[in-house]
Amino acid sequence: MRLKDRIAIVTGGGSGIGEAVAVRFAEEGARVAVLDVDVKGAELTATLCGGLAVVADVSDSAQVDAAVARVERELGPVDILVNNAGIAGRRNSERLAEKLAAQAAERGTGRIVTGLDALVRLPDDEWRQMFAVHVDGTFYCSRAVARSMKDRGTGAIVNVASICGVEGCTGHPHYSAAKGAVLAFSRALAKELVVQGIRVNAITPGFIETPATSVLTDAQRAGLELTTPIGRLGRPEEIAATVAFLASDDASFSVGSTFAVNGGLLTA
Ligand code: NAI
């Protein structure tokens, strides 16, 4: 019950990691607002965690401001924000599938001749959408909750980035760039806001079993299991446990950190 009576907003709470975070927070005593652009997902998770479903698109600042105002009205001032809403870039992944299979066949031959052409085939709208959801969304939500957090001198923000934001993931330049921006943003915020009682930290999950990764082919999944030292993908509950720690007073000296939760895939 480390989060007893805390008011939390979990963006992207309608699925996968966000759902697990919302449930874990409720188990630890928090009252949770499940913010998601997907009505059904938000309502389902809200039922699971006894929370409030709030439908909003994090990439729209007016919707975010209205959503946060509603949470403050109905639940109270926000103590915890988890910026988790995200997209994987499905159209890009679909375009890559054939080229990745060709590269896989060439591995071990001493020469990979197939280029992925991810960059040159990436349209403007997919680039912008990736930044709108991850970077704009994290900015809008953080700004909206920080206004009252700073006046009350307390708060915790946890940003869900990715190993791709540290390492750079082949074939996903827009996702990698957006997650890298989230990490840099987190560090700057952390240094600014800690004097006002707000702690900001980020996590970098590896590959986690969620609807977002359910599109992986068996061969891709086997490849990830092989390259992840622990030998498997992670579970959303394992991410939720780390987020709960960072959101709680147990992490009172963690400021601007990047927590790796990736089964050993990236240890530096
Ligand atoms: P998911 O697809 O299961 O859930 C994402 C949720 O975000 C969905 O409910 C979706 O409706 C919501 N969402 C998307 N765009 C939104 C918007 N504009 N406004 C509000 N809500 C929006 O994905 P998953 O796997 O649970 O991912 C959660 C976060 O973790 C994402 O930020 C993702 O990039 C990150 N992540 C996931 C990894 C994985 O292997 N699953 C690995 C590393 C990071």
Side-chain angles (χ1 to χ4, degrees):
M1 298 298 276
R2 291 176 299 184
L3 307 179
K4 192 161 170 25
D5 297 332
R6 306 269 166 97
I7 310 297
I9 295 180
V10 181
T11 75
S15 175
I17 292 171
E19 177 187 304
V21 170
V23 169
R24 175 70 187 243
F25 276 14
E27 285 167 1
E28 297 236 21
R31 299 176 67 200
V32 185
V34 182
L35 190 155
D36 206 294
V37 73
D38 173 38
V39 187
K40 272 198 188 144
E43 285 176 349
L44 198 63
T45 304
T47 307
L48 285 177
C49 69
L52 175 72
V54 180
V55 178
D57 180 343
V58 295
S59 69
D60 180 323
S61 69
Q63 287 190 37
V64 167
D65 286 348
V68 171
R70 183 179 160 209
V71 174
E72 293 186 333
R73 225 174 25 247
E74 295 192 27
L75 298 183
V78 178
D79 300 298
I80 300 165
L81 167 69
V82 182
N83 283 308
N84 164 79
I87 52 174
R90 189 159 291 194
R91 275 194 285 156
N92 177 60
S93 299
E94 284 166 5
R95 281 194 302 272
L96 285 182
E98 204 178 309
K99 302 270 193 177
L100 282 171
Q103 281 197 350
E106 289 159 9
R107 261 179 225 293
T109 64
R111 188 153 175 255
I112 292 179
V113 291
T114 304
L116 292 181
D117 286 342
L119 174 67
V120 294
R121 292 188 291 167
L122 189 61
D124 293 2
D125 64 325
E126 289 182 37
W127 173 270
R128 294 202 188 291
Q129 176 70 357
M130 197 57 84
F131 272 69
V133 175
H134 296 276
V135 189
D136 297 2
T138 299
F139 162 52
Y140 295 149
C141 293
S142 302
R143 182 177 61 181
V145 299
R147 288 178 181 129
S148 85
M149 282 180 175
K150 76 176 176 55
D151 290 343
R152 290 181 300 118
T154 180
I157 297 176
V158 183
N159 294 325
V160 180
S162 163
I163 49 162
C164 296
V166 182
E167 178 85 348
C169 287
T170 315
H172 301 272
H174 52 340
Y175 183 78
S176 304
K179 290 302 195 183
V182 167
L183 289 173
F185 177 72
S186 302
R187 295 184 189 115
L189 275 203
K191 290 186 176 185
E192 176 194 332
L193 297 180
V194 70
V195 296
Q196 292 170 299
I198 307 169
R199 284 184 309 100
V200 183
N201 289 285
I203 62 164
T204 50
F207 295 96
I208 313 300
E209 303 272 10
T210 71
T213 47
S214 63
V215 293
L216 293 170
T217 63
D218 289 347
Q220 287 170 333
R221 176 174 296 273
L224 293 175
E225 287 168 357
L226 204 66
T227 48
T228 303
I230 203 170
R232 62 172 174 84
L233 274 65
R235 294 186 295 274
E237 296 73 24
E238 293 175 305
I239 304 300
T242 306
V243 175
F245 162 70
L246 288 171
S248 79
D249 296 343
D250 279 352
S252 53
F253 205 54
S254 292
V255 177
S257 65
T258 299
F259 267 69
V261 204
N262 56 46
L265 194 55
L266 182 64
T267 55

